[in-house]
Amino acid sequence: MLQATPLTEGWTVRHEGAALPAVVPGCVHTDLLTAGMIPDPFLGRNEAEVAWVGRREWTYETDLECVDGHEQSDLVFEGLDTVAEVTLDGQLLGRTRNMHRSYRFDVTGLQGRLAVRFVSAYAEAEAVRGKVGERPAAYAEPYQYIRKMACSFGWDWGPTLVTAGIWRPVRLEHWSTARIARVRPLVTVAQGAGQVELAVEVERTRVEAPLTVEATVGGVRARAVVDGTGGVVRLTVPDAALWWPRGYGEQPLHDVELTLRHGDDVLDVWRRRIGFRTVELDRRPDAHGTGFTLVVNGARLFARGVNWIPDDVFPSRVTRERYRERLAQAADAGVDLVRVWGGGIYESEDFYDACDELGLLVWQDFPFACAAYPEEQPLRGEVEAEARENVVRLMPHPSLVLWNGNNENLWGFRDWDWERRLAGDSWGEGYYLGVLPRVAAELDPTRPYTVGSPWSGSWERHPNDPAHGTHHSWEVWNREDYADYRLSVPRFVAEFGWQAPPAYATLRRALPGEELAPDSPGMLHHQKADDGNGKLRRGLERHFVFPEGDFDRWHYLTQVNQARAVAAGIEHWRSHWPVCAGTVVWQLNDCWPVTSWAAIDGDGRAKPLYHELRRLYADRLLTLQAREGSLELAVVNQGAAKWAGAVRLRRMSVEGVVAREVSVGFGAEGRSVARVGVPRELEPVGPKEFLVADADGLRALHFPAPDREIPYPRPQFDVSLTPGGITVTARTLVRDLLLQADRLHPDARADRGLVTLLPGEEVTIGVRGWETPDAEAARSALYCMEPSR
């Protein structure tokens, strides 16, 4: 039987003769932090002080003994970051140059000092650039010349911390006769039965030994003979319960066990979990252009998505528990699709396991983002090798529903002056239209592949044409008002978003001792977007009087503006289902404390946007939309059952006077949108009036003027303590009330975000982690709209 021994103890990391204890898995930065040799790069402007780490060579060492009673011993690295030379007692075992691959070295009978020497990723990238020539990219760092997590080199939300190290587990494997080298599971559904085909590849020490494989799943057992180096086991599971995305059904998972035998001797065992489901991508042309609709088990979905970046710039620090917490936050916000963005990594099994269990669909980018990638060697062979390994590794997970070739590179070629600058040089098209679809079709024909995002499906159209395929909406954030989201109906919005700073307690921890201001040194350092603060300011000034010199007000208003911007897009696009079939917000999470587009900041605190997503992505949503010069109420019902009832429409003044009120019936079938016309006499007149729509505990609001023009009354409300929180009772209109619980205590969390109260209404806000509740303290942490100053 194969025996695996983790190699986690006794490691050191050495640089220029000095050695210090190392944690494996880990990276150089985390080891240096533990040893107190570098400051925390997440704090202040320390990032710049540790830039030297990425420019050095580092060597990890430990003692290794491979004497064992088995015929073969292998040294297995699940991940090396990135360019390394592996030696044992001075003997070269091999060289690596890809963070996204695993490596196996034969060390049978060997022992001595194991050394893994990492060359600077900069040195490798610059050497490859010298060989293949310059390629354009969105950023100046040379990330496109090395198969490494691109955002290690910095991004418009991330620090430049170029890592090195043994970033995934390493182990010794001892085995005899044969071992399971690879299992490729094809899981399908036909006529109500689950079909499992397990293609097994083996590695042998004895060619003549007769081998068999036996598999079990769902109480069904089958076996097959291994012919040479492989075999195929097929099983049928009658009446298999289907795996569904959250909100559509349950997520039953089935244990699969495959055993390799030589006679009665068990040589090796492979175990995974699978789920039975079908997935299609409907890209048929129609009267509106070309669709992009996910279809799971025959059900057509409006995808309620978020983009995922690595949850830490040092990904070895992300534990199974942290993955589960972050993804559970996504599920609790109504998310049903997570896009793993192409500037990061293929995540660990823990990520996909959590998605399987939570019913979160996974859209997986191949790791290419915002750059022209050379197709010459040594990169081309690495790209195919990593794709082959990771496609097979991730295939068992039912949550994985889509392979995507790249992020924004087709768009970049067409619009970012790449075509002229490349002058015929390779730039990655051969990967996205050749290598990757070929590998996906060969190894994993059960899932769709799309060439890139955005991609209109053909070079005959603009790659980012909103009428065809996937669309990235960035002109709004960069240059326009978020109201412009309502000017088009893309078929699938795979990226859009709006910035806001992180929570106040996150800023206080990240910028100790700094007097906070939008343009204070630390705030500017933790704002990586090009003209990010300028865009935040212009976005505010379209709606509010800019709060000069008032950081707390600026912090609150930018949080409000982020939530409102994303709401403007999602409400509009959801109201146009099934023409628009999904929104994927940029972004769910952060990898450090930073002003960014995230809904959950780098310390794991929820911004108001996160709570707003819970409303926007709920099965039922009311939204008031302007259509052809008049108002209508869109009743969005993503649940399976019909939603019928009456909506109460009120035209009100900001002083709280009801000018007009009617009740209108509605009925929205399951997975559909119903539209209810708003009578002309209900439409608000001037900035003093607004419209309220209420039905079944849900509310939609329409204010016809920007906040800076609205004569809000000075907000008046009462605050009282309740078990586990506070209750706020409004005596005037209180718009966008927000309790910033982390101002009460860094560990305090509120259970809701922005809420608007009409006179006489009340809301109870749950608060956990608040050790000494106090009503006046709570009042000081409450923010809302005030009269323009």
Side-chain angles (χ1 to χ4, degrees), residues 428-658:
E429 184 181 27
Y431 297 144
Y432 320 134
L433 292 168
V435 173
L436 298 177
R438 171 171 55 79
V439 169
E442 174 193 340
L443 298 176
D444 187 17
T446 67
R447 290 179 178 86
Y449 169 88
T450 185
V451 173
S453 185
W455 178 236
S456 61
S458 169
W459 281 119
E460 296 179 0
R461 298 183 287 265
H462 190 281
N464 201 26
D465 187 335
H468 300 275
T470 49
H471 176 69
H472 289 195
S473 180
W474 284 118
E475 285 300 298
V476 169
W477 157 252
N478 285 318
R479 296 175 181 84
E480 300 164 358
D481 181 30
Y482 57 71
D484 288 0
Y485 285 135
R486 303 187 184 105
L487 299 180
S488 67
V489 183
R491 305 311 302 270
F492 193 105
V493 189
E495 279 190 23
F496 77 107
W498 203 269
Q499 272 201 348
Y504 183 79
T506 300
L507 288 173
R508 284 269 57 108
R509 187 192 71 82
L511 305 175
E514 180 164 310
E515 183 178 345
L516 296 177
D519 58 353
S520 61
M523 286 293 295
L524 290 178
H525 187 81
H526 289 250
Q527 163 63 279
K528 297 296 187 179
D530 182 36
D531 191 30
N533 273 16
K535 292 170 185 175
L536 283 174
R537 182 178 185 118
R538 290 189 290 276
L540 281 182
E541 289 177 334
R542 293 184 179 104
H543 297 270
F544 308 101
V545 174
F546 191 83
E548 297 285 359
D550 187 341
F551 177 81
D552 290 344
R553 198 72 190 161
W554 175 86
H555 183 265
Y556 162 72
L557 289 177
T558 51
Q559 299 269 357
V560 170
N561 225 31
Q562 181 187 40
R564 287 214 201 152
V566 172
I570 292 178
E571 289 188 15
H572 170 65
W573 294 320
R574 279 194 75 180
S575 75
H576 282 279
W577 163 259
V579 176
C580 180
T583 56
V584 189
V585 176
W586 187 270
Q587 62 214 66
L588 174 69
N589 58 327
D590 270 328
C591 64
W592 78 313
V594 65
T595 296
S596 83
W597 299 263
I600 301 168
D601 75 17
D603 282 4
R605 293 186 175 93
K607 296 182 186 179
L609 171 59
Y610 171 80
H611 296 285
E612 186 70 351
L613 286 176
R614 296 173 69 181
R615 179 183 73 87
L616 297 168
Y617 276 167
D619 280 352
R620 292 180 173 183
L621 173 69
L622 297 178
T623 174
L624 288 159
Q625 298 286 320
R627 297 275 196 273
E628 298 178 355
S630 62
L631 282 178
E632 70 175 25
L633 177 74
V635 180
V636 181
N637 179 23
Q638 207 157 344
K642 182 177 180 178
W643 181 19
V647 59
R648 181 188 183 192
L649 294 169
R650 286 177 285 172
R651 190 179 107 210
M652 297 185 65
S653 72
V654 293
E655 289 85 9
V657 177
V658 177

Side-chain angles (χ1 to χ4, degrees), residues 238-312:
D239 302 318
L242 295 180
W243 183 97
W244 288 92
R246 62 170 304 281
Y248 288 79
E250 301 300 316
Q251 293 81 42
L253 297 169
H254 306 270
D255 293 321
V256 178
E257 182 172 288
L258 188 143
T259 304
L260 176 66
R261 297 179 183 273
H262 175 221
D264 294 330
D265 294 336
V266 174
L267 303 178
D268 200 357
V269 177
W270 179 91
R271 297 182 180 91
R272 294 292 188 277
R273 291 186 305 173
I274 62 168
F276 294 106
R277 57 102 186 95
T278 64
V279 59
E280 304 167 74
L281 182 60
D282 187 349
R283 290 180 273 201
R284 290 175 296 178
D286 57 26
H288 304 280
T290 308
F292 194 92
T293 304
L294 282 165
V295 184
V296 179
N297 298 329
R300 301 174 67 80
L301 277 62
F302 181 97
R304 294 168 278 190
V306 288
N307 281 274
W308 171 276
I309 67 169
D311 205 50
D312 196 315

Side-chain angles (χ1 to χ4, degrees), residues 76-90:
V76 182
F77 293 95
E78 291 187 21
L80 293 171
D81 175 19
T82 293
V83 182
E85 179 182 84
V86 184
T87 60
L88 182 56
D89 205 25

